[in-house]
Amino acid sequence: HAKGGLTGDTLSLNSAVEYNQKNIAIRKQLNDTNWLYISYCNASIAYIRLKQFDKAIQYLNTAYDYYKGKKGSEAALHLAMSNLGDAYMGKANQTKRPEYYRKALSYYNEILNIHKRHKNSANDDYAEMLEKTGEIYMITEQYDRSIENLEAAFEMYKEINHHQGISRSSLKLAKF
């Protein structure tokens, strides 16, 4: 159902933004800083889906700066970096400007480096970051790196029996 030219999905996303704005205001009043920045991350997801990438990036940079180097906040920092990568990827796809692909790649690679440092076993997030970096390498014509990351993602998805990931990564590999 469309209302005022907006699709139901857009209405839901706008509602999510409003809810998160109220949540952020309450968290500020309560001086609940840790959850405040999680609320910024949550709001950014709606902004990304609404293609309001600059607003998402603004919120995410605030959260990223708060969590960066803060002991015990690795999961929240990871969320902020992943969402920053997604926001810059969306902005890059919208504008086709290489600096936004580089920015998205920097956040995704930072997450990959964390997985490698911790010698993490195969998991959805690790495979997804390999897939996303492989996609950026493909777009930016770094084909060897793209194939390397997409094959690694494909193998990891197979290992964890993630059917959607297997399909996505194999389709991207088939483009070669």
Side-chain angles (χ1 to χ4, degrees):
H1 298 86
K3 183 177 180 183
L6 298 174
T7 65
D9 189 46
T10 303
L11 288 172
S12 296
L13 290 169
N14 283 326
S15 293
V17 167
E18 285 177 35
Y19 170 79
N20 277 294
Q21 294 295 343
K22 291 175 186 174
N23 192 347
I24 288 167
I26 291 167
R27 301 252 181 238
K28 284 180 177 178
Q29 283 178 335
L30 297 174
N31 200 27
D32 186 359
T33 52
N34 193 52
W35 285 104
L36 169 65
Y37 295 101
I38 292 294
S39 296
Y40 282 137
C41 289
N42 290 338
S44 76
I45 295 167
Y47 284 122
I48 290 168
R49 288 195 140 145
L50 288 165
K51 299 187 183 325
Q52 294 179 18
F53 302 115
D54 290 332
K55 188 70 172 176
I57 290 166
Q58 175 189 344
Y59 273 41
L60 289 164
N61 280 330
T62 301
Y64 180 84
D65 291 344
Y66 175 78
Y67 289 119
K68 183 78 174 160
K70 186 173 182 182
K71 199 166 179 74
S73 64
E74 292 81 12
L77 181 63
H78 183 103
L79 175 64
M81 288 188 300
S82 180
N83 289 357
L84 274 162
D86 292 348
Y88 278 107
M89 185 68 173
K91 192 169 181 173
N93 287 334
Q94 189 177 64
T95 64
K96 305 298 183 212
R97 293 181 56 188
E99 64 267 26
Y100 298 132
Y101 288 115
R102 284 192 297 273
K103 199 76 168 159
L105 191 60
S106 72
Y107 288 111
Y108 293 150
N109 275 330
E110 194 170 342
I111 294 169
L112 276 177
N113 289 333
I114 291 168
H115 283 295
K116 291 173 185 174
R117 268 196 315 274
H118 291 105
K119 298 182 182 5
N120 288 347
S121 58
N123 65 59
D124 288 358
D125 184 66
Y126 197 167
E128 185 181 8
M129 290 303 118
L130 286 165
E131 182 183 354
K132 286 179 177 183
T133 56
E135 183 179 356
I136 293 171
Y137 289 135
M138 183 189 304
I139 291 167
T140 59
E141 300 178 353
Q142 299 175 61
Y143 299 119
D144 290 342
R145 292 178 89 176
S146 177
I147 290 170
E148 180 184 325
N149 282 29
L150 288 172
E151 285 178 343
F154 177 78
E155 292 302 320
M156 197 173 286
Y157 283 134
K158 276 187 1 188
E159 185 180 331
I160 60 175
N161 203 26
H162 189 291
H163 299 291
Q164 273 187 320
I166 292 168
S167 295
R168 279 194 320 266
S169 57
S170 64
L171 282 172
K172 289 173 185 166
L173 282 165
K175 290 181 181 179
F176 286 104

